[in-house]
Amino acid sequence: MTDKPAALVLGGAGFVGSALCRRLREQEHSVVAVDRREPAAPDAWLRYDALTDEPADLPAGELFLVLGASDPRPRRPWTLVLENALATARLLPAMKDRRVTLASSVEVYGSAAAPLREESTPTLPLSTEELENWCLTAERLSTSPCPPWRAERTARELADADPSGRWVYALSKSAQEMLVRKAVAPDRLRVLRPANLFGVGQDRVVSRLVRRVLNGRTVTVTDCLRTFSPVEELVDALLLEETGTFNVGSSVVSLVELAKEIVELVGHDVPIEVLPAPDNDTCGVVDSSLLASRGFRARSFDAALKELVNQLRFEHVPIFEPPLPVVIPPRPEQPSLLADRQLGCQWSGRVKHGNYWTGRLTDELTERLRLPPDKRLIVTNTGTSALRLLLWSTVGPAKPRQAVALPAYTFPATAEVALQLGYNLRFCDVDADFWTMTAESLHEALDERVQAVISVDTFGNPVHYNELLGVCRAAAIPLLADSAPSLGSWYQGVPVGGQADGHAFSMSFAKALTAGGSGGAVVVPAAASLSGPENLLRSSLMPEINAAAALDLLPVLDDLVSRRQEIADTYQEMCGRYPDVQHQRIRSDARSSWVHWVMCLGPRYGRESVVAGLRRLGVETKPYYWPALHEAEWQHGWEPGSASREALPVSSRLHRSALALPMSSEMTLSDAERVSSAVDSVFAEFH
């Protein structure tokens, strides 16, 4: 049994926390990792969310505070304040009478002049007095749980002090330091301010450069200096006995020279593109001589860089930890306002369809889709309900032997709705480039038994409506659009929603516009009858709470789609390096909402092997759509003679080879680059 003091690592599952826990175990300390997610290492784990859980009854021991968000450019800058400053404020009572070590950042100096020393006066958008006043507000708020929907306004107040977003991370870390200093006596406190950290498990400039060079891709760097510190160097400093405030990082390196050194270590001759430093750049030069004066020995930058290159080259360490899911639902844009609206519904009892929020969503969607007076929009509880109502209101339930035509490459709900209303299925093939139903295949599937056509905007890519309408008009049958993923998509300069005889949309968790995880909308002819003894409307309408969630995101829908387009562009640039890997094309007169981004693997790539390889690197995938409907074992409804597997070659190929990568408006371009790097690494095994 060790007699060394217990160590509590708050943020023990993170990049720095994991490295610190490893070192403490090596030194035979009793370690408790305190985190809301489980650490990868076998430490004692105390599950705890500093923002939302009641004050923790932490065991005795020295407290190492390494929790928080370290991405300086997150999707929502105010969450940096939430995760760094407000989470720390919630922990202040637990710091009483303890030794505390805080991992801060040299970012707290802001744009102060070089070199950055511990006594340098920070240059930030807020003065010390203004920051102190904000900390008083944070302390008052922190006496109760601080989930995002309660703490958003206070967090935004600090983040909005810097409209550029450049210094929000610095403000959040400065506030964190200020809060801790008020709670912990100086003789019990160490504050470490590391420069740019690097190491396995973190995605920052060094790791990104290494991965790009390993994959033979052009490297782009700015012409500036940076001070770097291996994560092990910070861990060494965190374990010092000295109290006080210390900069960590002694290796000042030109980013251009860093890129050249990585190219030499990897042995790949890749181009290096040099850009001028931005106007709001930091000085990049950190003075860590105070730490050295205490006998601290810095780690070798060159040795640490070489070790990182070897680990990333040979050990296939995860790029994402925890793994990045295929689907990340959009978070609320204004969580505090949304919470007020939804709780208002419940408090007033106005929760059913037909009250204020469903009415407002109906009106705003109708206006956004530019629907003509002869079309009517109804918001529904699911996309499946919307499609069922669309088919019912236009052609009604099937008579014996009647059928609908639909693509074989689609989500099963497209076919299930038709089967529920008694129709047989006629499967059509999709275009080899756009993966949407072709007019030629549709024409071949039609006869007197087909009562309607259900087209599908595959993954948010609009079908060629003009061509399909021409076929349907000639056959005197309606074109009904399963536009489940298409809120945010455009066709020939107009939002998808009024092109076909009717459209069904989904607002499920994967879509660009979600209604709290479930919802939909149907566009039908204004004269369509939805009444009758069956009364499908009764169980199909959207509740108020879901409508409020959709209205939170609707004003920023174009921005959400633009973010997805940036992710798609990054993936497509990666895909272009592999001639035998195809991705979905979008017509020049259309815009996709990119609900999913899918690649079709060439013959040399085994899909299961690619899935396994990406999973090892922390990237989840899914074979959308699998199985293709004509490959599935339907118990009834499919008319095999209408389209054999051989007659649907594109759908069959997608069934065998399609694979979706992570896609979400919550992702950043950095995330997309990391996914692309993982794909490059896995594909390299097949060449």
Side-chain angles (χ1 to χ4, degrees), residues 25-59:
R25 286 197 310 275
E26 291 170 0
Q27 296 185 358
E28 299 184 345
H29 287 270
S30 172
V31 183
V32 179
V34 184
D35 209 303
R36 60 185 153 206
R37 65 184 177 91
E38 185 175 4
D43 297 306
W45 172 41
L46 176 61
R47 183 196 295 271
Y48 182 67
D49 189 325
L51 286 169
T52 59
D53 289 345
E54 292 302 319
D57 184 15
L58 297 178

Side-chain angles (χ1 to χ4, degrees), residues 499-567:
Q499 290 80 8
D501 296 299
H503 291 258
F505 298 98
S506 171
M507 299 181 211
S508 69
F509 62 93
K511 307 303 187 289
L513 178 68
T514 178
S518 179
V522 60
V523 176
V524 297
S529 174
L530 294 169
S531 60
E534 300 84 358
N535 197 358
L536 295 183
L537 277 176
R538 189 188 304 279
S539 60
S540 301
L541 299 177
M542 180 183 288
E544 286 283 285
I545 289 175
N546 296 90
L551 282 164
D552 170 70
L553 293 176
L554 187 58
V556 295
L557 178 57
D558 286 333
D559 177 61
L560 299 178
V561 173
S562 294
R563 289 178 177 275
R564 289 172 178 259
Q565 182 65 60
E566 290 177 342
I567 305 300

Side-chain angles (χ1 to χ4, degrees), residues 6 81 84 90 120 143 168 193 216 282 342 349 381 407 496 569 582 662:
V81 181
N84 293 332
R90 291 269 295 151
S120 295
T143 58
V168 176
R193 293 171 174 169
T282 58
Q342 292 183 323
N381 55 4
V496 170
D569 290 343
Q582 181 191 7

Side-chain angles (χ1 to χ4, degrees), residues 387-626:
L387 187 58
R388 188 183 301 112
L389 286 171
L390 176 58
L391 189 59
W392 179 272
S393 65
T394 50
V395 294
K399 295 177 182 178
R401 301 184 66 231
Q402 287 185 337
V404 295
L406 70 160
Y409 190 62
T410 183
F411 190 68
T414 310
E416 290 165 353
V417 165
L419 294 176
Q420 290 162 6
L421 297 183
Y423 287 94
N424 291 324
L425 309 176
R426 294 282 182 87
F427 291 131
C428 304
D429 207 5
V430 295
D431 183 90
D433 292 322
F434 309 112
W435 303 354
T436 56
M437 179 190 286
T438 66
E440 295 77 11
S441 183
L442 173 60
H443 181 77
E444 293 173 2
L446 296 183
D447 62 20
E448 71 282 355
R449 295 168 58 188
V450 176
Q451 301 300 298
V453 174
I454 303 178
S455 64
V456 176
D457 298 330
T458 311
F459 308 137
N461 186 19
V463 301
H464 202 332
Y465 281 103
N466 289 350
E467 285 191 357
L468 296 186
L469 278 168
V471 176
C472 290
R473 294 292 180 262
I477 55 176
L479 174 64
L480 309 179
D482 183 351
S483 297
S486 295
L487 287 172
S489 299
W490 289 59
Y491 177 77
Q492 296 187 347
V494 179
V496 170
Q499 290 80 8
D501 296 299
H503 291 258
F505 298 98
S506 171
M507 299 181 211
S508 69
F509 62 93
K511 307 303 187 289
L513 178 68
T514 178
S518 179
V522 60
V523 176
V524 297
S529 174
L530 294 169
S531 60
E534 300 84 358
N535 197 358
L536 295 183
L537 277 176
R538 189 188 304 279
S539 60
S540 301
L541 299 177
M542 180 183 288
E544 286 283 285
I545 289 175
N546 296 90
L551 282 164
D552 170 70
L553 293 176
L554 187 58
V556 295
L557 178 57
D558 286 333
D559 177 61
L560 299 178
V561 173
S562 294
R563 289 178 177 275
R564 289 172 178 259
Q565 182 65 60
E566 290 177 342
I567 305 300
D569 290 343
T570 302
Y571 287 167
Q572 285 160 198
E573 188 272 332
M574 173 273 297
C575 200
R577 297 193 288 274
Y578 305 98
D580 50 351
V581 177
Q582 181 191 7
H583 63 81
Q584 186 185 32
R585 307 285 180 177
I586 310 299
R587 292 179 181 85
S588 60
D589 61 353
R591 182 180 84 171
S592 175
S593 62
W594 291 113
V595 167
H596 300 295
W597 191 91
V598 179
M599 58 183 174
C600 186
L601 302 172
R604 81 167 72 192
Y605 306 99
R607 184 164 62 183
E608 292 308 311
S609 296
V610 173
V611 168
L614 289 174
R615 184 177 294 123
R616 287 196 304 272
L617 296 176
V619 177
E620 295 295 334
T621 58
K622 189 169 183 178
Y624 280 113
Y625 294 111
W626 189 92

Side-chain angles (χ1 to χ4, degrees), residues 191-213:
V191 177
L192 284 304
R193 293 171 174 169
N196 295 275
L197 294 173
F198 68 95
V200 173
Q202 184 215 48
D203 182 66
R204 290 293 182 272
V205 60
V206 179
S207 294
R208 291 174 189 171
L209 290 174
V210 172
R211 290 194 183 99
R212 289 191 71 89
V213 176

Side-chain angles (χ1 to χ4, degrees), residues 16-30:
V16 174
S18 296
L20 178 59
C21 286
R22 287 194 298 271
R23 182 66 56 76
L24 287 165
R25 286 197 310 275
E26 291 170 0
Q27 296 185 358
E28 299 184 345
H29 287 270
S30 172

